[in-house]
Amino acid sequence: MPEHVYDPPERFVAGSVGPPGQRTFFLQAGDGDRRTTVSLEKEQVRLLGVSLGELLDEVSPEEGSEDAAAPFVDNAPLDGPFDDDFRVQRLSVAWDAGRERVVLEAFDRPEAEDLLELDPTEDYPWTGRVPQSLTVVLGPARARAFALRCTASLEGGRPSCPFCGQPLDPGGHVCPRANGYKR
């Protein structure tokens, strides 16, 4: 199984590429000449940032505070090219109490027991490929800086409808709160 392990990485960031409404989201880990880029859904980036923040508030409130993270905040753009090594299907976030580190894992397929429930006639992106994973180990301050980057990468998308909260396309959208009328 190709495992991409960064313990710790020189750089670990979340970001997006493309115009609002058509963005592709990525996680990128690197050290030296080695870099791993994985693509994922916007909601996965949001949940990853939220989960990390909650975890750090619980297990390492001082070392994982926003003040402690300030020197580690990385606002530089993603490194190109933007070819992903794999598409993330499953994420996990854990606290390694012995090392006092956050461990993030991204996998290219669901858990084994979830695979049994999938439709065997469907063509899944990992079909015929060797399983892949990305493991990143971060100290609390760097994990908080990454969580802040997750939140920042979500900004700049399409504006939200003031009535229903759904994203507005340049031509408007069919608003459910307006009984299907276009806004």
Side-chain angles (χ1 to χ4, degrees):
M1 173 170 162
E3 294 181 9
H4 309 278
V5 179
Y6 295 86
D7 184 6
E10 287 178 13
R11 184 170 194 230
F12 183 52
V13 294
S16 65
V17 175
Q22 300 173 13
R23 295 184 296 171
T24 302
F25 289 84
F26 296 98
L27 300 181
Q28 205 171 64
D31 57 19
D33 293 335
R34 186 171 69 112
R35 181 177 67 232
T36 303
T37 303
V38 298
S39 60
L40 66 169
E41 296 294 326
K42 177 181 179 179
E43 186 65 9
Q44 289 174 303
V45 174
R46 187 188 73 73
L47 288 172
L48 184 56
V50 168
S51 298
L52 272 173
E54 290 173 353
L55 175 71
L56 291 167
D57 289 344
E58 184 179 319
V59 298
S60 187
E62 216 168 289
E63 295 86 2
S65 68
E66 288 189 24
D67 290 339
F72 300 104
V73 173
D74 181 346
N75 292 319
L78 295 168
D79 297 325
F82 301 108
D83 296 329
D84 58 353
D85 291 288
F86 64 88
R87 181 124 183 108
V88 174
Q89 299 296 318
R90 180 171 47 103
L91 288 165
S92 73
V93 177
W95 176 251
D96 182 343
R99 294 179 60 198
E100 295 187 358
R101 296 284 181 259
V102 172
V103 180
L104 292 99
E105 294 177 304
F107 301 92
D108 73 338
R109 56 198 69 199
E111 292 205 48
E113 53 269 9
D114 294 337
L115 289 171
L116 298 174
E117 297 175 14
L118 297 176
D119 183 351
T121 63
E122 289 288 323
D123 186 27
Y124 298 102
W126 60 81
T127 303
R129 299 166 115 183
V130 176
Q132 293 192 67
S133 68
L134 168 65
T135 302
V136 179
V137 180
L138 300 168
R142 290 198 61 203
R144 178 69 71 173
F146 175 75
L148 294 171
R149 173 74 185 244
C150 286
T151 302
S153 72
L154 300 175
E155 297 169 358
R158 295 177 287 178
S160 297
C161 173
F163 300 104
C164 70
Q166 292 183 5
L168 285 172
D169 292 324
H173 76 120
V174 177
C175 182
R177 297 240 1 233
N179 289 330
Y181 289 99
K182 196 168 187 167
R183 292 213 178 260

